[in-house]
Amino acid sequence: MGAVINAGDLRKGLKLEIDGEPYLIVDFEFTKPGKGQALYRCRLKNLITGIQFDRTYRSGDRFVEADIEEKEAEYLYKEGKQYHFMVTSTYEQVEMSTDQLGDAVNYLTENLKVSMLFFKDRPIGITLPNFVNLRVIHAEPGVKGDTASGATKPVVLETGYELQVPLFVEEGDILKIDTRTGSYVERV
Amino acid sequence: MSNEFKHWGGTTPCALQKRFYLERRRDIIRSIRAFFDSKGFLEVETPIRIPAPTPEYHIEPFRSEEWFLITSPELQMKMLLAQGYERIYQITKVFRKGERGKYHIPEFTMLEWYRRDCSYETLMDDCRNLIKFIGEQLRLPDPFPYGENRLSYSENWHLFTVRELFQKCVGWDPFTVSDSESFSIALVEKIEPYLASFSTPCIVKDYPPSEAALSKCLGEICERFEVYWGGIELANGNSEITDEETLKERFQKVLAFKSSLNVHLPIPDGFIKFFNKMPPSAGIAMGVDRLVMILSNAPSIEWVVAFTPEEL
């Protein structure tokens, strides 16, 4: 059980357990009509589903802090729909599914270090480095003469991720990718 | 969350920006004094540390040894009215525990004024005249920007009754359902965003008995009003109770409610002693910091005070 929190202690960035699920307060506002009750307006984000919604709480409301822990983990391998990681501090092996990882699967290569979020000792999500380097395994040859600036073509990376890149990129190139937007940054 | 501010990069002002807000604040306070002085009001200073705070359901006073810091100068200004003063105003610091947000700070500046032999209608006129006067003194454009909105200090204010607003925005009648919790939530979630859609200030008047505070009630209609501007609550005024029994009854109800929460506050005996001489009158409190915020296009209260408690 996490610590008990009163409505008056709510603030942005706090993680709460509500109906058995972990939530992050992404936006918070204290408000109070002059003669009325103090109200605590929160925008909550479900840390498992990512869904956000607004909730207004009152002075007497009490909460339990979500038992959330962040640990460094290293990606090992994929087996079917399961992705296997190792927690670097304990060598403990944990697995997460494609559904849990979402778009993150586009950037996972062997030995990549990520930050893994645990809720009650169960992994619920990972945070990737902002940039990763990935090898191009398939690229159409660039069309000669097409030099219009901003022209792009699709390529496939070693993780199976397909994206648009400039025409000069070739098979075997290593590309720097921004994991927050999923877009090409530069050729390494 | 209705007002979006995109014109400033950060969430807190830098030193150079702060100076602009503090200068604007000084100009506004000067204008307030000029306005009331020209109307024959006497500026007064009443004590900030008092033996018993105004009994309020939802306001928490700070203790100062055995006494309390004022949550408003209301009781002491009414003592002056009872002694025969006709028109008085005060600009003072007031203190409310636990109130901290975009529009709240535990120590803030209140403008409060009282008129003898008047009802709340006269105070509404004062508000219209005061806001227009300050706008003109500051030579503000009209309309002027506030966040992504444009506000106007002209006299064409909007007037709503509480009942009318609840019918329009909320869908239930606060005169038949008296639940102060639902009332507050409806105000904040439904009514304030609606009022934010008007450029000139809005007056919301005639509260149900459950929200009367210390206002005079005629039947179920209590002569209390609020001023909202850009959806922000700016002032609360009312025709005052003059009947001692009604006053004691209201105080006792509040103090009993507080005791049920294990907060034990003394009854303001010293004030009640004066009350048999209380003339028919009306009084109002206006938040100066919020007024400065609006008139200087500041996204939150920390922009318009020299220091917040967190900075000390």
Side-chain angles (χ1 to χ4, degrees), chain A residues 18-164:
Chain A
I18 302 167
D19 300 331
E21 303 220 316
Y23 288 86
L24 171 71
I25 302 179
V26 289
D27 217 341
F28 173 77
E29 196 177 323
F30 169 85
T31 174
K32 181 182 177 303
K35 299 285 178 192
Q37 282 221 354
L39 299 171
Y40 306 85
R41 308 184 74 191
C42 299
R43 175 155 299 158
L44 297 168
K45 179 182 170 187
N46 186 312
L47 287 172
I48 295 172
T49 64
I51 291 167
Q52 295 197 10
F53 58 89
D54 293 333
R55 216 19 114 66
T56 300
Y57 295 106
R58 297 147 234 189
S59 301
D61 291 340
R62 305 182 94 200
F63 308 86
V64 176
E65 195 167 1
D67 175 9
I68 291 274
E69 223 183 332
E70 211 171 336
K71 295 177 191 169
E72 192 193 58
E74 200 175 302
Y75 172 64
L76 301 176
Y77 61 94
K78 181 186 170 190
E79 196 178 54
K81 282 195 156 188
Q82 292 302 110
Y83 287 75
H84 295 256
F85 297 83
M86 181 185 71
V87 177
T88 48
S89 58
T90 60
Y91 304 111
E92 174 200 4
Q93 284 203 26
V94 290
E95 49 186 83
M96 291 183 74
S97 68
T98 321
D99 290 346
Q100 282 179 301
L101 291 166
D103 289 344
V105 299
N106 292 334
Y107 315 105
L108 291 176
T109 51
E110 218 172 291
N111 302 332
L112 183 74
K113 292 223 166 68
V114 300
S115 165
M116 191 173 273
L117 212 56
F118 290 81
F119 174 53
K120 294 180 169 172
D121 298 326
R122 287 196 320 269
I124 57 166
I126 61 168
T127 309
L128 295 160
N130 289 343
F131 300 102
V132 292
N133 293 336
L134 296 169
R135 181 181 303 276
V136 178
I137 57 162
H138 180 75
E140 299 289 341
V143 185
K144 276 248 166 73
D146 186 357
T147 53
S149 67
T152 59
K153 64 175 185 182
V155 296
V156 180
L157 305 179
E158 56 186 306
T159 57
Y161 180 44
E162 194 178 319
L163 81 164
Q164 293 290 323

Side-chain angles (χ1 to χ4, degrees), chain A residues 27-43 54-56 58, chain B residues 1 56 58-59 98-101 103-104 180-181 184-185 187-189 213 224 233 236:
Chain A
D27 217 341
F28 173 77
E29 196 177 323
F30 169 85
T31 174
K32 181 182 177 303
K35 299 285 178 192
Q37 282 221 354
L39 299 171
Y40 306 85
R41 308 184 74 191
C42 299
R43 175 155 299 158
D54 293 333
R55 216 19 114 66
T56 300
R58 297 147 234 189
Chain B
M1 302 186 187
E56 293 268 10
H58 303 298
I59 297 176
E99 301 191 6
R100 186 71 184 92
Y103 304 114
H104 292 84
S180 118
E181 204 164 276
S184 293
I185 293 176
L187 262 183
V188 168
E189 290 190 340
R224 177 186 153 201
E233 181 191 6
N236 176 75

